[in-house]
Amino acid sequence: MNDKSALKQLIESDEFSNRLNLDRKTYGLVFDKRTLNAIYEVIKKYDIDYIDFPISSGKESLIFNIKLRDKSTRALKIYKMSTLKFSNTMEYIKGDYRFDREKINRSNVVYVWAQKEYTNLEDIRNSGVHAPKPYGFYKNILLMSYLGTSRGPAPQIKDLQTGFNEIYLKLRKAIWTMYNRANIVHADLSEYNILYYRKDPYIIDVGQSVSTKHPMAEEFLKRDIKNISTFFLKKGIECDAAELYNYVKGGIDA
Ligand SMILES: Nc1ncnc2c1ncn2[C@@H]1O[C@H](COP(=O)(O)OP(=O)(O)OP(=O)(O)O)[C@@H](O)[C@H]1O
Ligand SMILES: [Mg+2]
């Protein structure tokens, strides 16, 4: 393609196939007018050269591999305006003292979500846990480091064949550190939201992650631990949900 302008590529992508629906709140359509404006601003602000390839297209977000003018690579996450469920989302915002002072309504909740993922990534990384480095956010768009190679993104741990013992040991430590040092509960932890990159598990998708002081934090932690132990048990790793929970709650690094 000669014209590699990022906006042009986005406009030509599948999400735009039904051009008549551009400005309607259509299910699955991310590029409404507000998002287009946000993309335009992000392209200028972060000196984006072009969109290299799409990484993932889910119910609530789209992720692209992008190139900056200085040739570095990043991942761009665009939250869909129309499918982020207001009530579900509020459960993770209300009660988190870091965010519940924001004036939130249906039309700006998705912006708070992007900011929340940015802040969570910062806090998680500052505690020493592997996660993408956040570079910035604007409206419903988040810019972060890309985990992967030019051939494609790093695999989710669900797609690995071996190495589960070592990954489990590293993850135990990561969950402990996230809880006791970053004071964050992931709240959607599973084999889908952990990427295997440069021989380490990386925690991703932390928009919904909450402070350990959130009234539902305990419940979310138990659910995370259940998901993780169920997955590793299936992979033949000796792991026990109650033991992992006690380890994380123990506070003192054993
Ligand atoms: N920084 C990154 N580098 C490389 N790949 C990434 C990155 N972030 C996300 N991905 C890939 O994109 C997928 C979806 O990302 P993420 O889990 O953050 O979004 P999501 O909101 O859960 O999307 P969905 O709506 O599909 O559930 C991940 O499973 C991963 O494969
Ligand atoms: Mg995910």
Side-chain angles (χ1 to χ4, degrees), residues 35-66:
T35 301
L36 268 180
N37 286 332
I39 292 167
Y40 180 69
E41 291 301 325
V42 165
I43 286 169
K44 279 196 300 185
K45 191 170 169 195
Y46 297 101
D47 226 6
I48 295 174
D49 193 10
Y50 60 92
I51 309 289
D52 209 357
F53 53 86
I55 297 173
S56 150
S57 165
K59 202 154 53 70
E60 293 183 344
S61 76
L62 290 177
I63 309 217
F64 296 94
N65 174 300
I66 62 161

Coordinates of all heavy atoms in Angstrom, one line a residue, residues 35-66:
T35 N -14.9 8.4 18.2 CA -13.7 7.6 18.2 C -12.7 8.0 17.1 O -11.5 8.1 17.2 CB -14.0 6.1 18.0 OG1 -14.8 5.7 19.1 CG2 -12.8 5.2 18.0
L36 N -13.3 8.3 15.9 CA -12.5 8.8 14.8 C -11.7 10.1 15.2 O -10.5 10.2 14.9 CB -13.4 9.1 13.6 CG -13.6 8.0 12.6 CD1 -14.5 8.5 11.5 CD2 -12.3 7.6 12.0
N37 N -12.4 11.0 15.9 CA -11.8 12.2 16.3 C -10.6 11.9 17.3 O -9.5 12.4 17.2 CB -12.7 13.2 17.0 CG -13.6 13.8 16.0 OD1 -13.2 14.0 14.8 ND2 -14.8 14.2 16.4
A38 N -10.9 10.9 18.2 CA -9.9 10.5 19.2 C -8.7 9.9 18.5 O -7.6 10.2 18.8 CB -10.5 9.5 20.2
I39 N -9.0 9.0 17.5 CA -7.9 8.4 16.7 C -7.0 9.5 16.1 O -5.8 9.5 16.1 CB -8.4 7.4 15.6 CG1 -9.1 6.2 16.3 CG2 -7.3 7.0 14.7 CD1 -9.9 5.4 15.3
Y40 N -7.7 10.5 15.5 CA -7.0 11.5 14.8 C -6.1 12.3 15.8 O -4.9 12.5 15.5 CB -8.0 12.5 14.2 CG -7.4 13.7 13.5 CD1 -6.7 13.5 12.3 CD2 -7.5 15.0 14.0 CE1 -6.1 14.6 11.7 CE2 -7.0 16.0 13.4 CZ -6.3 15.9 12.2 OH -5.7 16.9 11.6
E41 N -6.6 12.6 17.0 CA -5.8 13.3 18.0 C -4.6 12.4 18.5 O -3.5 12.9 18.7 CB -6.7 13.6 19.2 CG -7.7 14.7 19.0 CD -7.1 16.0 18.5 OE1 -6.0 16.4 19.0 OE2 -7.7 16.7 17.6
V42 N -4.9 11.1 18.7 CA -3.8 10.2 19.1 C -2.7 10.1 18.1 O -1.5 10.1 18.4 CB -4.4 8.8 19.5 CG1 -3.3 7.8 19.6 CG2 -5.2 8.9 20.8
I43 N -3.1 10.1 16.8 CA -2.1 10.0 15.7 C -1.1 11.2 15.8 O 0.1 11.1 15.7 CB -2.8 9.9 14.4 CG1 -3.4 8.5 14.2 CG2 -1.8 10.1 13.2 CD1 -4.3 8.3 13.0
K44 N -1.7 12.3 16.0 CA -0.9 13.6 16.1 C -0.1 13.6 17.3 O 1.1 13.8 17.3 CB -1.8 14.8 16.1 CG -2.4 15.2 14.7 CD -2.9 16.6 14.7 CE -4.1 16.7 15.7 NZ -4.8 18.0 15.7
K45 N -0.7 13.3 18.5 CA -0.1 13.4 19.8 C 1.1 12.5 19.9 O 2.1 12.9 20.5 CB -1.1 13.2 20.9 CG -0.7 13.5 22.3 CD -1.9 13.4 23.2 CE -1.4 13.5 24.7 NZ -2.5 13.1 25.6
Y46 N 1.0 11.3 19.4 CA 2.0 10.3 19.7 C 2.8 10.0 18.4 O 3.6 9.1 18.4 CB 1.4 9.0 20.2 CG 0.8 9.2 21.6 CD1 -0.6 9.4 21.7 CD2 1.6 9.4 22.7 CE1 -1.2 9.6 23.0 CE2 1.0 9.6 24.0 CZ -0.3 9.8 24.1 OH -0.9 10.0 25.3
D47 N 2.6 10.8 17.4 CA 3.5 10.7 16.2 C 3.4 9.3 15.6 O 4.4 8.7 15.2 CB 4.9 11.1 16.5 CG 5.5 12.0 15.5 OD1 4.8 12.5 14.6 OD2 6.7 12.2 15.6
I48 N 2.2 8.9 15.4 CA 2.0 7.5 14.8 C 2.1 7.6 13.3 O 1.6 8.5 12.7 CB 0.6 7.0 15.2 CG1 0.5 6.8 16.7 CG2 0.3 5.7 14.4 CD1 -0.9 6.4 17.2
D49 N 2.9 6.7 12.8 CA 3.1 6.7 11.3 C 2.1 5.9 10.6 O 1.4 6.4 9.7 CB 4.5 6.1 11.1 CG 5.0 6.4 9.6 OD1 4.3 7.2 8.9 OD2 6.0 5.8 9.2
Y50 N 1.9 4.6 11.0 CA 0.9 3.8 10.4 C 0.5 2.6 11.2 O 1.2 2.2 12.2 CB 1.3 3.3 9.0 CG 2.5 2.5 9.0 CD1 2.4 1.1 9.0 CD2 3.8 3.1 8.8 CE1 3.6 0.3 9.0 CE2 4.9 2.3 8.8 CZ 4.8 0.9 8.9 OH 6.0 0.1 8.8
I51 N -0.7 2.1 10.9 CA -1.2 0.9 11.6 C -0.6 -0.3 10.8 O -0.8 -0.4 9.6 CB -2.7 0.8 11.4 CG1 -3.5 2.0 11.9 CG2 -3.3 -0.5 12.2 CD1 -3.4 2.3 13.3
D52 N 0.2 -1.2 11.5 CA 0.8 -2.2 10.9 C -0.1 -3.4 10.6 O -0.3 -3.9 9.5 CB 2.1 -2.7 11.6 CG 3.1 -3.2 10.7 OD1 2.9 -3.3 9.5 OD2 4.2 -3.6 11.2
F53 N -0.7 -4.0 11.7 CA -1.6 -5.1 11.6 C -2.6 -5.1 12.8 O -2.2 -4.7 13.9 CB -0.9 -6.4 11.4 CG 0.1 -6.8 12.4 CD1 -0.3 -7.4 13.6 CD2 1.5 -6.5 12.2 CE1 0.7 -7.8 14.5 CE2 2.4 -6.8 13.1 CZ 2.0 -7.5 14.3
P54 N -3.8 -5.6 12.6 CA -4.7 -5.8 13.7 C -4.2 -7.0 14.6 O -3.8 -8.0 14.0 CB -6.0 -6.1 13.1 CG -5.7 -6.5 11.7 CD -4.4 -6.1 11.3
I55 N -4.3 -6.9 15.9 CA -3.9 -8.0 16.8 C -5.1 -8.7 17.3 O -5.2 -10.0 17.3 CB -3.1 -7.4 18.0 CG1 -1.8 -6.8 17.5 CG2 -2.8 -8.5 19.0 CD1 -1.1 -6.0 18.7
S56 N -6.2 -8.0 17.6 CA -7.3 -8.7 18.2 C -8.6 -7.8 18.0 O -8.5 -6.6 18.1 CB -7.0 -8.9 19.7 OG -8.2 -8.9 20.4
S57 N -9.7 -8.5 17.8 CA -10.9 -7.8 17.6 C -11.9 -8.5 18.5 O -12.4 -9.5 18.2 CB -11.3 -7.8 16.2 OG -12.7 -7.4 16.1
G58 N -12.2 -7.9 19.7 CA -13.1 -8.6 20.6 C -14.4 -7.8 20.8 O -14.7 -6.8 20.0
K59 N -15.2 -8.2 21.7 CA -16.5 -7.6 22.0 C -16.3 -6.2 22.5 O -17.1 -5.3 22.1 CB -17.3 -8.4 23.0 CG -18.7 -8.3 23.0 CD -19.5 -9.5 23.5 CE -19.0 -10.0 24.9 NZ -19.3 -9.1 26.0
E60 N -15.3 -6.0 23.3 CA -15.2 -4.6 23.9 C -14.0 -3.8 23.5 O -14.0 -2.6 23.8 CB -15.2 -4.8 25.4 CG -16.5 -5.4 25.9 CD -16.6 -5.5 27.4 OE1 -15.6 -5.5 28.1 OE2 -17.7 -5.6 27.9
S61 N -13.1 -4.4 22.7 CA -12.0 -3.6 22.3 C -11.4 -4.1 21.0 O -11.6 -5.3 20.6 CB -10.9 -3.6 23.4 OG -10.2 -4.8 23.4
L62 N -10.6 -3.2 20.4 CA -9.8 -3.6 19.2 C -8.4 -3.3 19.5 O -8.1 -2.3 20.2 CB -10.2 -2.8 18.0 CG -11.6 -3.0 17.3 CD1 -11.8 -2.0 16.2 CD2 -11.7 -4.4 16.8
I63 N -7.5 -4.2 19.1 CA -6.1 -3.9 19.4 C -5.3 -4.0 18.1 O -5.5 -4.9 17.3 CB -5.5 -4.9 20.4 CG1 -6.4 -5.0 21.6 CG2 -4.1 -4.6 20.7 CD1 -5.9 -5.2 22.9
F64 N -4.4 -3.0 17.9 CA -3.6 -2.9 16.7 C -2.2 -2.8 17.0 O -1.8 -2.2 18.0 CB -4.0 -1.6 15.8 CG -5.4 -1.6 15.3 CD1 -6.4 -1.0 16.0 CD2 -5.7 -2.2 14.1 CE1 -7.7 -0.9 15.6 CE2 -7.0 -2.2 13.6 CZ -8.0 -1.6 14.4
N65 N -1.3 -3.3 16.1 CA 0.1 -3.1 16.2 C 0.3 -1.9 15.3 O -0.1 -1.8 14.2 CB 0.8 -4.3 15.6 CG 2.3 -4.1 15.5 OD1 2.8 -3.2 14.8 ND2 3.1 -4.9 16.1
I66 N 1.0 -0.9 15.9 CA 1.2 0.4 15.2 C 2.7 0.8 15.2 O 3.5 0.3 16.0 CB 0.4 1.6 15.7 CG1 0.9 1.8 17.2 CG2 -1.1 1.3 15.7 CD1 0.5 3.2 17.7

